[in-house]
Each structure stands twice: as C-alpha cells, then as structure tokens.
C-alpha cells in the first residue's frame, strides 16, 4: 500500500506557472505508475498527465500537452507536475493517483487504486 500527499497548489495568474508535488510513503515507488487528475466544480474528474514507474514514458491530455510536464524522482518517492502558461480553465482540484503497474499509464479513474486528498489550483484571468 502507498499513501500519497499533494502539495504546491495555490493561486496563479493566467500565463503563470506552478509546480505540484506528490509525495509517496509506503512501498517502493518505482513500481508504481502515477498520474495527475483534476476536477473542476461541476465537472467530472479528468486525466491530466501520467508517468510510468521508471519515468521513461509519459502521457498527457490534449488540453495540457505542451504546457504541463510530469516527472518523477524515485529516490525521493516523488512525482511532480510543472504547469506553465496557466489558463483560467486549469482551475481545479488536482489529485495524484498511483497504481502498482510499472509499464502502463491508465487514463481512467478506475485504473488507479491509490489517491491523494488533492490540492487546489486557482488561475485568475
């Protein structure tokens, strides 16, 4: 089992940047694929970005590709989401999720067993 805790959310202006962190405790983190999801008010939770256990492969939602970068440091049991060129529509609660499958990046909520509590990101225009 792994416990996840997000940090780094906050308020940013449109065009600005934020970096989210997801710290994991518990089992060997390199054995987990990790993803970021987000949920805006009144909307379904959606996949944002994912990364396999080794960090060698990533996947992004079309809405964030080219603006967001997911990375990980398995020595620190952490995954990061660098968000550049933020837009008001990026406003949401961002969640970190993990699944003990090293080589597959799921894009559905059901693909992930472990979830953090979320961190709020608000982008003002």
């Amino acid at each position: 089992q792994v416990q996840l805790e997000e940090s780094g959310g906050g308020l940013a202006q449109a065009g600005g940047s934020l970096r989210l962190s997801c710290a994991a405790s518990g089992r060997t983190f390199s054995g987990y694929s990790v993803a970021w999801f987000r949920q805006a008010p009144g909307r379904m939770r959606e996949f944002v970005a994912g990364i396999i256990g080794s960090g060698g492969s990533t996947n992004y939602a079309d809405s964030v590709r080219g603006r967001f970068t997911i990375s990980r440091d398995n020595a620190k049991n952490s995954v990061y989401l660098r968000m550049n060129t933020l837009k008001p529509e990026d406003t949401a609660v961002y969640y970190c999720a993990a699944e003990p499958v090293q080589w597959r990046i799921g894009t559905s909520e059901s693909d992930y067993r472990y979830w953090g509590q979320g961190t709020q990101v608000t982008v003002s225009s």
Side-chain angles (χ1 to χ4, degrees):
Q1 189 168 349
V2 64
Q3 293 80 42
L4 305 174
E5 183 174 2
E6 304 93 338
S7 62
L11 177 65
Q13 291 188 331
S17 299
L18 285 173
R19 189 179 83 153
L20 305 183
S21 297
C22 173
S25 59
R27 306 296 290 270
T28 304
F29 200 43
S30 60
Y32 289 72
S33 290
V34 178
W36 288 95
F37 286 75
R38 67 185 181 186
Q39 187 167 21
R43 302 191 65 175
M44 300 291 288
R45 193 172 297 188
E46 63 177 1
F47 172 81
V48 175
I51 188 167
I52 62 172
S54 68
S57 181
T58 58
N59 190 22
Y60 296 92
D62 289 343
S63 59
V64 306
R65 186 173 288 113
R67 299 190 297 122
F68 290 11
T69 303
I70 188 170
S71 61
R72 67 190 297 160
D73 184 340
N74 287 333
K76 296 183 179 180
N77 274 12
S78 294
V79 171
Y80 308 100
L81 185 67
R82 177 68 178 181
M83 306 185 295
N84 294 331
T85 320
L86 284 163
K87 304 176 181 179
E89 51 263 44
D90 294 319
T91 295
V93 177
Y94 283 71
Y95 297 89
C96 176
E99 178 66 17
V101 176
Q102 293 188 37
W103 302 107
R104 177 177 176 270
I105 301 172
T107 59
S108 299
E109 288 185 73
S110 60
D111 291 325
Y112 295 90
R113 191 176 317 179
Y114 303 108
W115 291 81
Q117 294 300 307
T119 185
Q120 175 71 46
V121 171
T122 302
V123 183
S124 62
S125 57

